[in-house]
Amino acid sequence: MPRRIGLRDRVMFAYGLLALCLSGVLALVVYDVLSNYLTEQRISSAVVETSDNAATLHYALYGPTPTCPPIRRRTDTECATEAPLPADKVTRLVSSLPSTDSAASMVFYDGQWYSATGRPDELPADMVAAVQGGEQVHRRVVTAGRPVLAVGVPMAQPGEAFFEWHPLTGLDKTLSMLKLTLILAAAVTALLGLAIGRLASTVALRPLGELTQVAAAVARGQLNARLESEDDPDLGGLARSFNQTAAALEKRVVADARFAGDVSHELRTPLMTMMNSMQLIQNHRGELPPAVREPVELLGDDLDRFRRLVIDLLEISRDDGGDEGTRETVRIADLVRAAADATAGREITDVSPDAVDLTMEADKRRLERVIANLVENAEEHADGCKGVSVRAGGKGVIVYVDDAGPGVPEADRERIFERFGRGNTQADGRRGGIGLGLAIVARHVEWHHGTIRVKDRPEGGARFIIELPAKIS
């Protein structure tokens, strides 16, 4: 199943997309304005330069008096008829024209083309015809594989025209650089938008993170956890409602725990009376009629289960009631060995050399109860405990409790740690779980800032794995 994008990421991506769209629109507008401006400036300067060169050539060909016919020799007071200039002289005049950046200059004079550089046949025919008809024309063309701006200016005489090519390579490079710069600017702006979105989402969702942490603490049993943003004008209502709900829940849980504790205490006296009476009856079992012996044995088993249930109720009501316990430095290997071996009635504990000196700040009663409940569960409900191992690793120390039972299905590996949680029916018809025992184990392990999980044992059966924070003493 694909992972859904969280709210924080959605806000971040929204900021980034908004920044990208705005920067993209701005980049397009800027590029359009600047490219048009630079192109118009380039065309304007090319037209001015071509017109100046055309005027200079006109002066050299026809003299300073534009009213004189082109083939008359003039004096100070009149114009006289003169033959057209020689071709080589016209070519020299074209070559000597002042130019700043033109690539080629060409003139159509006296019915033929003159050019020092450039090929007139590369000029568009319609453009040549328009200029010879008296129009000033400019057009972008490609010659010799290079983009140029061709500018045509009519001369004084009909049919004669002057042309220049102005390279556009520099303009194209400038526009390409401008385009690349704007694209990079848009990308950087999008990244900044993502960063701002991340920051904004972090700040905006910080109260939600606080709510999540407090709710998780309440779920873990820290019923006194509260939100501290009741004065916030936007979140005050939510914070007050949550705190009121948590306070009501705490009162209810404390009341239930007190009730369970009171009931358990009240049950202890009659329970002890029944247990003593049952022990007395079992001591005289041989004197009982055969038909009564089996019911007495069943009653004894149920009384023993009832005794353990009352003890578990007292234990869990003590935790629900807010018992903080006492922490002291304990050597984990020694505590686990003593609790496991005493519960099983035989030596079942194996301690690795690297875990012998590991210690931690623990409540001895709670930690002993964890080991005892797991071993007892393996002995009575999983065909016996196959061993308890203590190893260094994980958060500091890892305790393995193995049994020889049918194992725990994956669907039940979380449920068995709930109160009165029972797994699905096993292949042999037995039900998993033992009521409150594993729930107490989970609560006590969490109290020690550890974790517990269950998986399949490689040789068959279940393996309970406890990780606890520890250090070398």
Side-chain angles (χ1 to χ4, degrees):
M1 182 176 179
R3 176 180 176 271
R4 295 188 60 184
I5 299 178
L7 179 59
R8 190 187 306 274
D9 292 333
R10 292 200 297 271
V11 173
M12 181 183 69
F13 289 139
Y15 269 86
L17 183 60
L18 178 62
L20 180 61
C21 293
L22 292 178
S23 60
V25 171
L26 182 61
L28 289 176
V29 172
V30 171
Y31 180 78
D32 183 67
V33 171
L34 288 181
S35 62
N36 289 336
Y37 174 77
L38 292 176
T39 301
E40 291 297 329
Q41 289 294 314
R42 186 70 183 95
I43 293 174
S44 177
S45 64
V47 170
V48 170
E49 182 180 343
T50 302
S51 299
D52 290 344
N53 287 342
T56 301
L57 183 61
H58 179 274
Y59 181 87
L61 293 175
Y62 307 125
T65 306
T67 58
C68 291
I71 58 173
R72 298 180 53 139
R73 184 182 301 278
R74 65 173 180 79
T75 63
D76 293 338
T77 59
E78 62 179 357
C79 293
T81 301
E82 180 180 307
L85 295 177
D88 57 343
K89 186 172 183 180
V90 176
T91 301
R92 285 196 301 271
L93 288 174
V94 173
S95 301
S96 64
L97 288 175
S99 176
T100 56
D101 62 358
S102 61
S105 299
M106 294 161 284
V107 63
F108 186 77
Y109 169 72
D110 194 27
Q112 67 180 47
W113 287 98
Y114 296 90
S115 173
T117 58
R119 296 172 55 186
D121 58 347
E122 294 183 348
L123 289 170
D126 59 335
M127 179 180 179
V128 173
V131 177
Q132 289 177 340
E135 296 183 24
Q136 179 179 293
V137 181
H138 59 80
R139 185 180 299 176
R140 182 187 178 99
V141 298
V142 177
T143 176
R146 295 186 302 166
V148 297
L149 179 66
V151 181
V153 178
M155 302 291 284
Q157 300 303 316
E160 296 184 354
F162 178 72
F163 296 88
E164 280 191 344
W165 289 345
H166 299 268
L168 295 177
T169 305
L171 176 63
D172 288 348
K173 288 183 178 179
T174 300
L175 294 179
S176 298
M177 184 62 67
L178 175 63
K179 183 187 298 183
L180 179 60
T181 301
L182 292 175
I183 291 175
L184 291 177
V188 171
T189 303
L191 293 177
L192 289 177
L194 289 174
I196 295 174
R198 188 69 177 182
L199 177 62
S201 63
T202 300
V203 174
L205 298 178
R206 186 173 297 160
L208 183 59
E210 180 185 356
L211 174 61
T212 302
Q213 293 178 356
V214 174
V218 172
R220 291 193 303 267
Q222 300 177 15
L223 301 180
N224 59 345
R226 298 291 185 272
L227 289 174
E228 299 180 356
S229 54
E230 291 190 4
D231 297 332
D232 190 292
D234 299 316
L235 301 174
L238 175 62
R240 284 189 293 272
S241 298
F242 180 87
N243 289 341
Q244 291 172 1
T245 302
L249 177 63
E250 182 180 17
K251 291 180 181 179
R252 177 64 180 270
V253 170
V254 170
D256 290 346
R258 185 180 298 113
F259 174 76
D262 293 343
V263 170
S264 300
H265 277 291
E266 292 297 326
L267 288 175
R268 293 183 69 178
T269 300
L271 178 62
M272 291 301 298
T273 301
M274 287 187 291
M275 292 295 297
N276 292 333
S277 299
M278 179 56 63
Q279 185 64 43
L280 180 61
I281 294 174
Q282 289 178 343
N283 291 338
H284 297 276
R285 181 174 179 276
E287 304 174 6
L288 297 175
V292 179
R293 293 176 185 176
E294 183 176 358
V296 168
E297 291 179 357
L298 294 176
L299 180 60
D301 293 339
D302 286 342
L303 279 176
D304 188 58
R305 290 180 58 193
F306 185 45
R307 177 186 63 81
R308 291 199 301 269
L309 181 59
V310 170
I311 294 174
D312 288 343
L313 282 173
L314 285 172
E315 181 73 17
I316 208 162
S317 63
R318 180 184 299 173
D319 281 349
D320 290 341
D323 180 20
E324 295 296 333
T326 57
R327 295 183 183 270
E328 58 182 296
T329 302
V330 298
R331 194 180 296 272
I332 301 174
D334 296 341
L335 185 147
V336 171
R337 179 183 285 109
D341 294 352
T343 303
R346 63 186 187 278
E347 294 184 1
I348 59 172
T349 306
D350 175 62
V351 179
S352 65
D354 56 358
V356 172
D357 296 326
L358 292 177
T359 62
M360 65 175 294
E361 297 296 317
D363 185 321
K364 292 181 64 176
R365 180 187 61 81
R366 282 185 167 96
L367 197 53
E368 288 174 349
R369 189 65 183 273
V370 167
I371 304 301
N373 278 12
L374 289 177
V375 174
E376 185 177 287
N377 180 57
E379 288 287 302
E380 298 186 6
H381 303 279
D383 298 333
C385 181
K386 300 301 292 183
V388 177
S389 303
V390 182
R391 301 285 185 268
K395 295 184 175 184
V397 65
I398 304 177
V399 180
Y400 301 96
V401 180
D402 297 335
D403 63 44
V408 180
E410 290 190 16
D412 297 331
R413 291 180 181 178
E414 295 291 336
R415 190 185 313 163
I416 61 174
F417 294 107
E418 299 174 359
R419 296 184 184 185
F420 299 103
R422 292 181 180 272
N424 296 326
T425 302
Q426 306 292 347
D428 56 3
R430 295 178 302 177
R431 298 280 290 177
I434 59 170
L436 291 174
L438 292 181
I440 293 173
V441 168
R443 288 287 296 272
H444 288 353
V445 170
E446 183 181 359
W447 189 90
H448 287 92
H449 307 293
T451 61
I452 182 171
R453 66 185 188 276
V454 60
K455 68 177 186 178
D456 292 332
R457 178 169 165 260
E459 297 81 6
R463 168 171 288 177
F464 288 82
I465 304 172
I466 306 171
E467 292 189 24
L468 296 170
K471 59 183 180 179
I472 299 178
S473 59

